[in-house]
Amino acid sequence: MNAPEPPSDALPAQEVSLDVLREKYARGDERTIEDVQRRIARALAALEPAPQRADHERRFLWAQQQGFVPAGRIASSAGLGLSATLINCFVQPVGDSISGASFGLPGIYTALSEAAETMRRGGGVGYDFSAIRPLDSKVAGTASRASGPVSYMEVFDASCRTVESAGARRGAQMGVLHIDHPDIERFIAAKDTGRLTNFNISVGVSDAFMRAVEADEAFALVHAAEPGDETLAAGGRRREDGLWVYRTVRARELWERIMVSTYDHAEPGVLFVDRMNAENNLWYAEELRATNPCGEQPLPPYGCCDLGSLNLTAFVHDAFTPEAHLDFERMRDVATTAVRMLDLVLDATQWPLPQQAAEARAKRRIGLGFLGLGSALAMLGLRYDADEGRAVAARIASALRDAAYAASIELAREKGAFPLFDADNYLRGQFIERLPQPLRDGIRAHGIRNSHLLSIAPTGTISLAFADNASNGIEPPYSWTYQRRKRTADGGTRSYEVADHAWRLYRQQHGDAALPPSFVTALEMRALDHLRMVEAVQPFIDTAISKTVNVPEDYPYDDFRDLYLEAWRAGLKGLATYRPNAVLGSVLSTTPVASPAMTAAAPPSPDDDPLRKRFEHRPLGELESSTSKIEYSTQEGRKTVYLTVSFLRAEGIWEGRQVTVERPFEFFMPANQRTGGHQWITASMRLLSMVARAGGPIARALADMREVVWEKGPVRCGHIVREDGVRVPVYHDSEVAAIAFMLQRMLIRRGFLDQQGNQVPVGELARRFERRTQDGAPDPQLQPGEAPAEPLPIMNGAKCPECGALALRKVDGCSRCESCHYVGECG
């Protein structure tokens, strides 16, 4: 075993790294990175033969100290005796029947139960929903019509949201529908109205479809289920292969719908399923139709991704000098040990389902990758978007591939090959045929322990906790520094700087000197340069790469629309993009004002818009959110919480004239504030949000909440100001009533309720909105002694579990809050 090599330039730990380590990974009395690393090493070495355990434990600790970073589930749970899984993500099958099984696939509600159990144990889940019959197709057994896959995805979405609330890890799902499914347009537009907030979605695209796009040909949408009578009357027919043709579309027009939606909403992503299967090492034993939630692992039904990464910045010597270089020999040594550790994880983990355990034992898939590529290239003096940077990245991936495959061959000699190994078929795989001949000879002679070995995953939180915020996975840094805001124990906030590892090291060495040209961020390069990096690395990765092509908000659509076509031509397995814009990431997206780029999108159904119950309208712009800090006292002591109300502006015709009104659209109170009643908090806010979105009586709902009584005595919260200016404290019969009172005050100040908490008529709402939006106009609902509210920031992302702001977006495979800069667990 090589002795640990101390870094030439030690950097003190960033506060963000310590925060994330202690919040997500350190357990019990663990306080440092080494504490967690020792636990992982000890847990995995315990599975080795007794005489060798001590040596393996030392070796496993050494590998982590040298730059191997196991994935988040391993770091958070290994060696703790929990029933949680050590596996980040799975793919679960979904059939067409309601229960039971069909064509070897579990029924929808069986699959729902299996997915819930998987997420309860900490795993994210991907699904292919293509087996579910299309909307309005015949259901012979009940003489009824089908509701289609998108409706059932909403059931899975709700289940994920419910399971998520029971644990600290946010649920993650990937929903896939294949391009020839008759409901594909509905799927493409599924997230436009703010639904499916717990899903990433991707379209599974075939080579045949892409060739039809290139040739501008017709493309058939087909399914095994018989269409309804209307579809049959419109020309639906059964083909010779037994599939029903529902209708024919222009391939290029369908592709344009995907591109428009991706440009506007960053979804759906695209999976090139034929390329995934052609490059699959187990092409002879399985079919791949879906991926895990972040897309770095195409997996069969019940397949899993057992992940870990090498921190490339740990292998850079003489950074920022002409002698800067990467220590490939030490990297290969660490990779060898990392393969052994990940193979042991498959035996150490608790499996949520027996089918997952059987699948893993039969194939022993692992996914070793790297993190910190963008930071490491900057340290080497190479630009991420230059040929030289791509050449080094390809050399890294090639060295990692060869070391990993050599290690797995040696493991096969020691412990045996994976059970489904078939030498002749395995060696005929397209990826395996590209291996150096000595590795192919070794596989022929000894077999191989793991069917797949390589994957490049998003690594946001483990990069923060264990790699001094080296860049995420294969990504370039999104920015070199940013400010993170964090809540304090007393309910306030504080800010501190978060910096990229390469930036910190350069500042340590060179002070305030200008950054050299190698410091290039994601938005400072062409979109095509992002794609070219994946193209350079993918030939050496046997599964896939989670990569987001980041483009600025003003990136031209005409340039954007060809990215995915170019990715297919380059032989990639999939792609995702991110373009910041006014509607991206919004949990409650409204339909934006039409633009040329959006004209191909399907119009929303009137039934999707509950505000039509009030008056005809069209939504305007973004949601605005108002957040208030609330302090109140109970017998249990003083408490501080935050309440957020999001408002929707709508324009329409009322009593013969065009008006604009504003009404509440969602209520939110972070449930992790631990007020002692976080379950009722979550339930109450969700119910109020449902009432708001349905155009229901918010005033009555809040009045009913104020009638709730508990046995713990009065709650003091807020005050009213008498006509003589005296502030009188207000007492409530319960904590629920106190929260309702404060929500009422927020809506009164906003002008939605009158002083008594009653609903303001639509005509008056329009007049108040007009007055309030005029420059210098006083707020008509201010009480005596109250100060005008500060300008309200516009927040239009998902809800942040840290600060509650509607500013959580998916960037580079990880959830990041643009308000407090919280980073959620990736993958």
Side-chain angles (χ1 to χ4, degrees):
M1 180 178 68
N2 297 334
E5 179 178 317
S8 56
D9 297 287
L11 292 169
Q14 298 188 71
E15 189 169 356
V16 66
S17 298
L18 296 175
D19 281 351
V20 174
L21 177 76
R22 292 166 184 170
E23 290 171 4
K24 292 184 174 290
Y25 303 115
R27 298 292 183 262
D29 58 358
E30 294 173 347
R31 294 293 180 269
T32 67
I33 290 175
E34 187 170 338
D35 290 339
V36 178
Q37 292 172 335
R38 286 189 181 278
R39 168 168 52 82
I40 296 170
R42 184 167 55 251
L44 298 181
L47 298 171
E48 298 281 15
Q52 303 170 19
R53 286 175 188 165
D55 288 341
H56 283 302
E57 183 175 340
R58 285 192 292 270
R59 180 77 181 182
F60 295 168
L61 177 59
W62 171 85
Q64 293 177 86
Q65 292 172 335
Q66 294 298 296
F68 174 51
V69 184
R73 301 308 303 162
I74 301 171
S76 64
S77 301
L80 295 176
L82 303 176
S83 60
T85 181
L86 305 185
I87 306 300
N88 271 51
C89 296
F90 300 82
V91 161
Q92 297 293 116
V94 183
D96 184 43
S97 63
I98 291 294
S99 59
S102 60
F103 301 101
L105 300 174
I108 295 169
Y109 283 94
T110 301
L112 179 69
S113 175
E114 291 179 347
E117 178 63 15
T118 300
M119 286 185 284
R120 186 180 74 85
R121 300 288 190 95
V125 184
Y127 322 83
D128 173 25
F129 291 103
S130 303
I132 299 178
R133 66 188 61 206
L135 178 68
D136 288 335
S137 60
K138 292 181 179 179
V139 183
T142 58
S144 59
R145 301 293 184 90
S147 58
V150 173
S151 66
Y152 284 110
M153 288 177 67
E154 294 180 1
V155 178
F156 281 75
D157 187 68
S159 175
C160 178
R161 184 167 57 248
T162 302
V163 173
E164 167 196 325
S165 68
R169 185 174 191 255
R170 182 176 176 83
Q173 298 183 113
M174 168 71 83
V176 178
L177 199 71
H178 282 241
I179 191 67
D180 60 356
H181 194 285
D183 284 2
I184 190 63
E185 291 104 333
R186 183 177 295 271
F187 177 81
I188 292 167
K191 301 188 75 170
D192 291 356
T193 55
R195 295 177 295 173
L196 304 181
T197 57
N198 294 285
F199 266 105
N200 296 331
I201 63 172
S202 289
V203 177
V205 174
S206 64
D207 287 347
F209 174 77
M210 295 306 298
R211 287 191 290 268
V213 171
E214 286 189 311
D216 194 17
E217 294 176 346
F219 186 76
L221 303 182
V222 302
H223 202 272
E226 183 179 357
D229 293 337
E230 296 86 350
T231 301
L232 291 173
R237 59 185 174 82
R238 195 167 196 172
R239 296 193 314 201
E240 292 182 359
D241 62 3
L243 295 178
W244 290 89
V245 176
Y246 279 60
R247 65 186 185 281
T248 300
V249 297
R250 304 299 302 178
R252 193 169 288 179
E253 291 178 1
L254 182 56
W255 183 247
E256 183 76 1
R257 284 198 175 191
I258 297 172
M259 292 300 97
V260 167
S261 180
T262 303
Y263 183 78
D264 287 330
H265 305 295
E267 290 192 86
V270 170
L271 303 176
F272 298 115
V273 292
D274 288 340
R275 172 66 58 176
M276 283 163 35
N277 282 286
E279 289 275 311
N280 183 14
N281 288 355
L282 289 179
W283 60 273
Y284 59 90
E286 64 186 22
E287 181 181 9
L288 305 174
R289 296 181 62 86
T291 74
N292 72 313
C294 288
E296 74 273 8
Q297 278 275 352
L299 295 167
Y302 298 111
C304 74
C305 44
D306 171 16
L307 302 174
S309 303
L310 300 188
N311 174 13
L312 297 180
T313 67
F315 303 101
V316 176
H317 291 274
D318 303 317
F320 307 117
T321 72
E323 293 75 34
H325 64 282
L326 201 74
D327 188 342
F328 280 93
E329 181 178 358
R330 185 160 56 91
M331 189 185 78
R332 283 188 286 265
D333 286 346
V334 174
T336 298
T337 301
V339 167
R340 188 181 194 99
M341 293 175 69
L342 291 178
D343 184 68
L344 289 168
V345 166
L346 296 171
D347 301 317
T349 190
Q350 295 282 330
W351 293 100
L353 302 173
Q355 301 97 315
Q356 296 162 347
E359 169 70 21
R361 283 193 294 267
K363 301 167 185 177
R364 303 196 71 83
R365 261 184 175 88
I366 65 172
L368 179 62
F370 55 70
L371 64 84
L373 177 64
S375 302
L377 290 178
M379 294 163 66
L380 293 168
L382 301 171
R383 286 181 64 93
Y384 187 99
D385 57 348
D387 289 340
E388 295 80 5
R390 290 190 283 268
V392 168
R395 185 185 172 197
I396 291 169
S398 175
L400 181 62
R401 176 200 65 182
D402 293 352
Y405 271 79
S408 190
I409 292 168
E410 288 303 308
L411 276 177
R413 294 180 64 177
E414 177 185 344
K415 300 183 177 184
F418 68 91
L420 288 184
F421 174 70
D422 178 318
D424 290 336
N425 281 322
Y426 192 80
L427 288 167
R428 287 169 53 200
Q430 290 187 14
F431 183 87
I432 300 300
E433 286 183 338
R434 295 198 298 269
L435 292 178
Q437 192 60 44
L439 290 176
R440 290 174 50 81
D441 292 342
I443 292 171
R444 171 75 69 182
H446 308 293
I448 192 164
R449 180 68 170 169
N450 313 97
S451 67
H452 300 73
L453 287 131
L454 304 160
S455 182
I456 301 180
T459 57
T461 47
I462 60 174
S463 291
L464 282 168
F466 298 100
D468 188 43
N469 197 30
S471 55
N472 172 15
I474 197 175
E475 305 288 352
Y478 198 73
S479 63
W480 297 108
T481 63
Y482 60 86
Q483 293 292 314
R484 183 180 184 186
R485 294 201 306 276
K486 185 174 177 62
R487 284 204 313 270
T488 56
D490 62 359
T493 60
R494 59 179 297 269
S495 297
Y496 52 88
E497 185 177 73
V498 181
D500 178 87
H501 173 78
W503 186 90
R504 296 185 72 216
L505 187 59
Y506 186 82
R507 289 295 177 226
Q508 183 191 63
Q509 296 178 4
H510 301 280
D512 294 331
L515 296 175
S518 62
F519 279 80
V520 56
T521 62
L523 295 181
E524 294 173 337
M525 61 185 74
R526 299 180 306 162
L528 192 61
D529 290 321
H530 287 270
L531 188 149
R532 294 299 178 221
M533 179 59 80
V534 185
E535 184 181 8
V537 172
Q538 182 65 78
F540 306 101
I541 304 299
D542 57 18
T543 58
I545 299 168
S546 178
K547 176 73 180 82
T548 302
V549 175
N550 292 281
V551 297
E553 183 175 358
D554 59 356
Y555 197 80
Y557 177 72
D558 287 343
D559 295 340
F560 178 92
R561 70 195 308 170
D562 291 330
L563 279 175
Y564 286 74
L565 186 60
E566 184 63 29
W568 174 68
R569 290 168 176 164
L572 304 190
K573 298 179 181 180
L575 197 66
T577 54
Y578 176 79
R579 183 183 71 89
N581 59 76
V583 296
L584 184 60
S586 177
V587 174
L588 302 172
S589 297
T590 62
T591 306
V593 177
S595 66
M598 297 185 60
T599 55
S605 164
D607 293 335
D608 292 335
D609 192 353
L611 289 179
R612 292 177 69 91
K613 296 177 181 179
R614 287 286 178 165
F615 62 100
E616 297 294 322
H617 81 289
R618 60 183 177 88
L620 297 177
E622 304 95 346
L623 297 176
E624 288 190 0
S625 296
S626 174
T627 299
S628 292
K629 177 182 177 181
I630 309 300
E631 296 179 333
Y632 59 96
S633 300
T634 72
Q635 291 180 347
E636 298 170 341
R638 189 176 183 84
K639 297 185 179 182
T640 302
V641 298
Y642 292 84
L643 296 173
T644 297
V645 182
S646 298
F647 295 87
L648 176 79
R649 294 182 182 182
E651 180 181 88
I653 303 300
W654 180 256
E655 295 180 347
R657 65 187 183 92
Q658 183 169 304
V659 299
T660 300
V661 301
E662 182 185 70
R663 61 175 294 118
F665 201 70
E666 186 180 47
F667 296 79
F668 179 63
M669 179 173 169
N672 61 349
Q673 295 174 111
R674 301 305 178 196
T675 63
H678 54 279
Q679 293 183 2
W680 71 255
I681 290 172
T682 300
S684 298
M685 296 303 109
R686 289 179 179 173
L687 288 171
L688 283 173
S689 298
M690 290 176 63
V691 173
R693 289 194 289 271
I698 295 295
R700 185 185 306 169
L702 292 174
D704 288 345
M705 287 177 65
R706 292 192 62 180
E707 298 299 321
V708 174
V709 178
W710 69 357
E711 73 284 0
K712 298 181 181 180
V715 176
R716 176 174 174 173
C717 175
H719 64 273
I720 58 174
V721 181
R722 297 191 320 214
E723 292 182 357
D724 59 3
V726 176
R727 302 163 74 92
V728 179
V730 177
Y731 290 86
H732 308 275
D733 292 326
S734 68
E735 202 167 7
V736 175
I739 296 298
F741 170 80
M742 297 312 299
L743 288 172
Q744 278 185 335
R745 305 313 299 170
M746 292 174 69
L747 296 183
I748 289 171
R749 286 195 297 270
R750 194 77 179 195
F752 182 72
L753 302 180
D754 64 20
Q755 292 289 345
Q756 288 72 44
N758 299 316
Q759 173 66 61
V760 174
V762 171
E764 179 60 19
L765 281 179
R767 288 189 290 272
R768 290 182 177 184
F769 179 81
E770 184 178 359
R771 289 199 301 268
R772 187 164 60 83
T773 53
Q774 292 175 351
D775 292 340
D779 189 325
Q781 289 302 304
L782 288 179
Q783 290 198 18
E786 290 187 328
E790 295 180 357
L792 298 171
I794 293 176
M795 297 183 289
N796 60 342
K799 293 176 292 190
C800 174
E802 177 68 29
C803 69
L806 299 180
L808 196 68
R809 305 184 188 278
K810 200 78 169 181
V811 182
D812 299 342
C814 303
S815 297
R816 299 172 183 268
C817 177
E818 294 183 353
S819 177
C820 70
H821 292 286
Y822 161 86
V823 178
E825 188 167 348
C826 306

